[in-house]
């Protein structure tokens, strides 16, 4: 699976056989009965590969939502949603930084402040992680006089 521009290898790869059954029930409502949309479970997230976009005219798209944000009947999503569609030779990408509002399971697996990138590839979805970098602090210098 191709990595990021820096050659980074994926942390994980979501393969087609890892389809998320809970999400599958509402996929037809969003993308139509018998759609080619596929859902994957990933540490409290649902990652969806769909042939078309939800809010765009794009094709070959990724949508990432916290599993707990999807209503029981699958008709609404409350909370964060990340998505992106392929553009020419560039694959679909969805990315975000893990925060206090991210699923607990995701925070435990990767830690607060970690950036995640989901990249669509022919063999599945690659998951790349970039750990948080220390933030420089301003320290007061003491000048002896």
């Amino acid at each position: 699976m191709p990595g990021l521009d820096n050659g980074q290898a994926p942390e994980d790869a979501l393969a087609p056989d890892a389809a998320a059954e809970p999400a599958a029930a509402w996929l037809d409502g969003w993308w139509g009965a018998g759609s080619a949309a596929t859902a994957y479970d990933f540490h409290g997230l649902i990652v969806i590969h769909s042939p078309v976009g939800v809010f765009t005219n794009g094709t070959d798209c990724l949508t990432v939502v916290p599993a707990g944000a999807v209503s029981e009947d699958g008709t609404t999503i409350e909370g964060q949603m990340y998505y992106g569609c392929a553009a020419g030779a560039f694959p679909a990408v969805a990315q975000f930084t893990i925060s206090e509002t991210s699923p607990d399971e995701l925070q435990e697996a990767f830690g607060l402040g970690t950036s995640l990138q989901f990249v669509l590839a022919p063999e599945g979805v690659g998951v790349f992680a970039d750990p948080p970098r220390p933030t420089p602090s301003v320290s007061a210098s003491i000048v002896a006089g």
Side-chain angles (χ1 to χ4, degrees):
M1 176 166 295
L4 302 173
D5 287 340
N6 66 4
Q8 178 180 351
E11 290 288 321
D12 204 344
L14 309 181
D17 62 358
E21 291 305 316
W26 56 267
L27 287 177
D28 287 347
W30 281 73
W31 285 277
S35 75
T38 306
Y40 309 91
D41 282 324
F42 185 77
H43 299 287
L45 298 173
I46 298 173
V47 179
I48 303 159
H49 168 216
S50 60
V52 295
V54 178
F55 304 109
T56 70
N57 290 328
T59 59
D60 232 358
C61 302
L62 285 177
T63 304
V64 181
V65 298
V70 180
S71 66
E72 202 169 301
D73 64 1
T75 58
T76 59
I77 295 174
E78 187 173 317
Q80 296 294 325
M81 178 180 357
Y82 309 95
Y83 63 92
C85 298
F90 299 112
V93 174
Q95 58 192 17
F96 62 94
T97 300
I98 298 172
S99 70
E100 294 84 6
T101 61
S102 299
D104 291 341
E105 186 180 342
L106 191 65
Q107 291 181 43
E108 291 167 12
F110 293 96
L112 286 173
T114 298
S115 297
L116 291 180
Q117 183 180 59
F118 297 82
V119 180
L120 184 61
E123 60 272 18
V125 178
V127 182
F128 298 86
D130 184 35
R133 294 193 169 71
T135 305
S137 62
V138 179
S139 53
S141 57
I142 301 175
V143 180

